[in-house]
Amino acid sequence: MKRFLALTLGTTMAASMLLSATAMAEEASALAYTGEINMMHFSTSEESEGNGGSDGFRTMIAEWEEAHPEITLNQNVLANDEYKTQIATMAAADDLPDVFLLQGMNTISWASQGLVLDMTDIIKESPYYEDYNTAYFTPFTADEKMYALPALTGGTCTVVIYDKQIWADMGYDSFPATWDEVQEATDKFIEAGYEYSIAFGNGGQWQANSDFLSTLGNRYTGPEWFAHIIAGDGEAAFTDEAFVKALDFTGKIFSETNIFNPDYNSVTNEDAREYFIAGEAPAFIGGNWDESYIAATLLETDEEKYNNIGFAVLPQPSDATEAPNSQNIGLGYGIAINAKVAEDPDKLAACVDLAYKLTGADFSNFVATNYALGGLTKVEDVDLSAFSQVDQDFYNWSYVDTETCEIYDSYVDPAVWSVCNTGLQELMNGEGDAATLAADIQAAYEENFLN
């Protein structure tokens, strides 16, 4: 711990001294450093084909190299799975690259070992700081210090996709904002011949967590609660009343209402989205990958229905008081810098400049205008004119018009979510109780994450 504190203090001071010089150097496209920088990432050329985040990442690297020919950037590019294994091996040997992609779940451990640079001041002094989506920093934060600039692009796991014309015909100009209103609408739909109003699939068990609970939970707990869960600082527990309420509501909204398709616990999200495409359900809840599939399918098979696609956030429970306009979206990796780099101030300035380039306005503009995607830096007045109205609407819904929260099962430990997902499916079947499940989740959390 003494080593960690000394490194943190030293690197923070070094970073602070360099901030003004770094910003000025970026503007002038000139840096004092003329040596080598070792960088490791997983944006392979194969992955960049059709992957907007990887394409943007590689494009920014190429632009930075062209702007700084005096610096040799040595890239070690591995496929994602191989990258995870190799970077963990290098961390264990205290031999991390100068610049690398840090996975959120490794932040606390590697920061406590003094392996990664405390970038708090660097981030706050970034020329793009005012435009950062600060919610993305949660998985890269430990003890109120930030250790990476969230990188690549993010996509939601919880979007309500609905047929605007069908809901308008039922008297709704937009999707209902509360679950009470959804129930009223469902009664109308059933009178009109529908069996339910929202299609959902939890056959794989993870869907109820990723596509529902982690957004609904935020409505009860607020974002700081999960930040404490990730940090493992003892300031939050799964047995907290707010989270128990979220579990209880999730179980009851499925098991005690007629809002959802009766087979929600046996079909997958792929099955459920077909209910929406076929017109059996006027709405569907899933992730951005479901939106892509639905939009592409309807564009080819039913252009009128395609043009009526609308997007909404999860409705608000009547007893929830937090973040009614939130949806879960995340950037699971961030640009981090080896703590040892601070020993060379000029090299550190160059690494910081590279990190700014890979996560700043240039990257966000590129992925927005080429792929209708978003990154860490919010970009105003993005020209989306080349995309369809549906694509433009989904971009704005994802990155402009809504608040963001974390995707639960992107962090902590798989063993915790295994307990949660199994028990949550039982709650949705009307079995068990929320308090007991919360206690079981907390026990798994203490055993597998805190120890």
mmCIF file of all heavy atoms in Angstrom, residues 2 17 24 54 89 111 118 154 167 255 282 290 310 315 327 345 358:
data_model
loop_
_atom_site.group_PDB
_atom_site.id
_atom_site.type_symbol
_atom_site.label_atom_id
_atom_site.label_comp_id
_atom_site.label_asym_id
_atom_site.label_seq_id
_atom_site.Cartn_x
_atom_site.Cartn_y
_atom_site.Cartn_z
ATOM 1 N N LYS A 2 1.994 1.214 0.771
ATOM 2 C CA LYS A 2 2.886 2.380 0.776
ATOM 3 C C LYS A 2 3.425 2.635 -0.622
ATOM 4 O O LYS A 2 3.528 3.770 -1.070
ATOM 5 C CB LYS A 2 4.040 2.150 1.760
ATOM 6 C CG LYS A 2 3.605 2.201 3.226
ATOM 7 C CD LYS A 2 4.792 1.976 4.143
ATOM 8 C CE LYS A 2 4.394 2.046 5.605
ATOM 9 N NZ LYS A 2 5.529 1.787 6.508
ATOM 10 N N MET A 17 1.889 18.486 -13.539
ATOM 11 C CA MET A 17 2.873 19.412 -14.089
ATOM 12 C C MET A 17 2.835 19.435 -15.607
ATOM 13 O O MET A 17 3.193 20.421 -16.240
ATOM 14 C CB MET A 17 4.271 19.000 -13.610
ATOM 15 C CG MET A 17 4.488 19.185 -12.101
ATOM 16 S SD MET A 17 5.973 18.331 -11.516
ATOM 17 C CE MET A 17 7.211 19.115 -12.533
ATOM 18 N N MET A 24 -1.216 22.237 -24.819
ATOM 19 C CA MET A 24 -0.597 23.113 -25.802
ATOM 20 C C MET A 24 0.058 22.303 -26.916
ATOM 21 O O MET A 24 -0.032 22.645 -28.093
ATOM 22 C CB MET A 24 0.450 24.004 -25.126
ATOM 23 C CG MET A 24 -0.155 25.045 -24.173
ATOM 24 S SD MET A 24 1.129 25.936 -23.271
ATOM 25 C CE MET A 24 1.960 26.761 -24.609
ATOM 26 N N SER A 54 -13.882 -0.465 -33.733
ATOM 27 C CA SER A 54 -12.532 -0.880 -34.101
ATOM 28 C C SER A 54 -12.009 -0.099 -35.298
ATOM 29 O O SER A 54 -10.834 0.276 -35.348
ATOM 30 C CB SER A 54 -12.505 -2.378 -34.411
ATOM 31 O OG SER A 54 -12.667 -3.130 -33.240
ATOM 32 N N THR A 89 -1.461 -11.708 -18.000
ATOM 33 C CA THR A 89 -0.136 -12.286 -17.759
ATOM 34 C C THR A 89 0.900 -11.186 -17.577
ATOM 35 O O THR A 89 1.757 -11.246 -16.681
ATOM 36 C CB THR A 89 0.275 -13.202 -18.926
ATOM 37 O OG1 THR A 89 -0.675 -14.265 -19.050
ATOM 38 C CG2 THR A 89 1.662 -13.778 -18.704
ATOM 39 N N ALA A 111 -4.964 -1.049 -9.931
ATOM 40 C CA ALA A 111 -4.677 0.252 -9.323
ATOM 41 C C ALA A 111 -4.063 0.076 -7.939
ATOM 42 O O ALA A 111 -3.105 0.771 -7.572
ATOM 43 C CB ALA A 111 -5.942 1.087 -9.240
ATOM 44 N N ASP A 118 -2.698 6.883 -12.230
ATOM 45 C CA ASP A 118 -3.865 7.667 -11.803
ATOM 46 C C ASP A 118 -4.032 8.804 -12.805
ATOM 47 O O ASP A 118 -3.224 9.721 -12.869
ATOM 48 C CB ASP A 118 -3.627 8.211 -10.395
ATOM 49 C CG ASP A 118 -4.735 9.167 -9.936
ATOM 50 O OD1 ASP A 118 -5.735 9.319 -10.658
ATOM 51 O OD2 ASP A 118 -4.576 9.743 -8.842
ATOM 52 N N GLY A 154 -20.196 2.415 -27.410
ATOM 53 C CA GLY A 154 -21.128 1.780 -26.500
ATOM 54 C C GLY A 154 -22.475 1.517 -27.138
ATOM 55 O O GLY A 154 -22.897 2.237 -28.044
ATOM 56 N N TRP A 167 -49.437 2.233 -31.537
ATOM 57 C CA TRP A 167 -49.681 2.899 -30.250
ATOM 58 C C TRP A 167 -50.474 4.185 -30.444
ATOM 59 O O TRP A 167 -51.324 4.527 -29.605
ATOM 60 C CB TRP A 167 -48.364 3.163 -29.523
ATOM 61 C CG TRP A 167 -47.799 1.907 -28.919
ATOM 62 C CD1 TRP A 167 -47.084 0.939 -29.564
ATOM 63 C CD2 TRP A 167 -47.940 1.465 -27.574
ATOM 64 N NE1 TRP A 167 -46.761 -0.081 -28.699
ATOM 65 C CE2 TRP A 167 -47.265 0.210 -27.471
ATOM 66 C CE3 TRP A 167 -48.545 2.005 -26.441
ATOM 67 C CZ2 TRP A 167 -47.205 -0.507 -26.268
ATOM 68 C CZ3 TRP A 167 -48.477 1.288 -25.246
ATOM 69 C CH2 TRP A 167 -47.823 0.052 -25.162
ATOM 70 N N SER A 255 -44.815 -11.683 -13.298
ATOM 71 C CA SER A 255 -45.644 -12.800 -12.839
ATOM 72 C C SER A 255 -47.071 -12.403 -12.487
ATOM 73 O O SER A 255 -47.969 -13.255 -12.507
ATOM 74 C CB SER A 255 -44.998 -13.459 -11.615
ATOM 75 O OG SER A 255 -44.960 -12.564 -10.509
ATOM 76 N N PRO A 282 -47.073 -5.181 -29.949
ATOM 77 C CA PRO A 282 -46.856 -3.799 -30.385
ATOM 78 C C PRO A 282 -45.570 -3.180 -29.845
ATOM 79 O O PRO A 282 -45.212 -2.068 -30.211
ATOM 80 C CB PRO A 282 -48.080 -3.069 -29.849
ATOM 81 C CG PRO A 282 -48.538 -3.870 -28.689
ATOM 82 C CD PRO A 282 -48.208 -5.298 -29.003
ATOM 83 N N ASP A 290 -30.567 -6.313 -30.980
ATOM 84 C CA ASP A 290 -31.936 -6.632 -31.400
ATOM 85 C C ASP A 290 -32.487 -5.529 -32.293
ATOM 86 O O ASP A 290 -33.177 -5.802 -33.285
ATOM 87 C CB ASP A 290 -32.840 -6.803 -30.178
ATOM 88 C CG ASP A 290 -32.471 -8.009 -29.334
ATOM 89 O OD1 ASP A 290 -32.360 -9.106 -29.898
ATOM 90 O OD2 ASP A 290 -32.294 -7.835 -28.119
ATOM 91 N N GLY A 310 -40.257 3.136 -33.262
ATOM 92 C CA GLY A 310 -39.977 4.164 -32.264
ATOM 93 C C GLY A 310 -39.163 3.585 -31.121
ATOM 94 O O GLY A 310 -39.103 2.361 -30.931
ATOM 95 N N PRO A 315 -40.252 2.074 -18.819
ATOM 96 C CA PRO A 315 -41.184 2.867 -18.003
ATOM 97 C C PRO A 315 -40.761 2.892 -16.535
ATOM 98 O O PRO A 315 -40.030 2.010 -16.067
ATOM 99 C CB PRO A 315 -42.525 2.144 -18.194
ATOM 100 C CG PRO A 315 -42.374 1.443 -19.504
ATOM 101 C CD PRO A 315 -40.939 1.013 -19.568
ATOM 102 N N GLN A 327 -31.092 4.642 -19.411
ATOM 103 C CA GLN A 327 -30.961 3.354 -20.086
ATOM 104 C C GLN A 327 -29.522 2.905 -19.921
ATOM 105 O O GLN A 327 -28.622 3.722 -19.786
ATOM 106 C CB GLN A 327 -31.348 3.481 -21.572
ATOM 107 C CG GLN A 327 -30.685 4.636 -22.311
ATOM 108 C CD GLN A 327 -29.447 4.271 -23.110
ATOM 109 O OE1 GLN A 327 -29.031 3.117 -23.118
ATOM 110 N NE2 GLN A 327 -28.859 5.237 -23.778
ATOM 111 N N PRO A 345 8.621 12.445 -18.197
ATOM 112 C CA PRO A 345 7.538 13.411 -18.446
ATOM 113 C C PRO A 345 7.216 13.623 -19.925
ATOM 114 O O PRO A 345 6.043 13.761 -20.284
ATOM 115 C CB PRO A 345 8.065 14.696 -17.803
ATOM 116 C CG PRO A 345 8.996 14.224 -16.741
ATOM 117 C CD PRO A 345 9.658 13.010 -17.310
ATOM 118 N N LEU A 358 -7.576 9.040 -29.157
ATOM 119 C CA LEU A 358 -8.352 7.812 -29.313
ATOM 120 C C LEU A 358 -9.731 7.878 -28.672
ATOM 121 O O LEU A 358 -10.584 7.026 -28.951
ATOM 122 C CB LEU A 358 -7.570 6.635 -28.720
ATOM 123 C CG LEU A 358 -6.297 6.245 -29.449
ATOM 124 C CD1 LEU A 358 -5.522 5.200 -28.663
ATOM 125 C CD2 LEU A 358 -6.613 5.726 -30.842
#
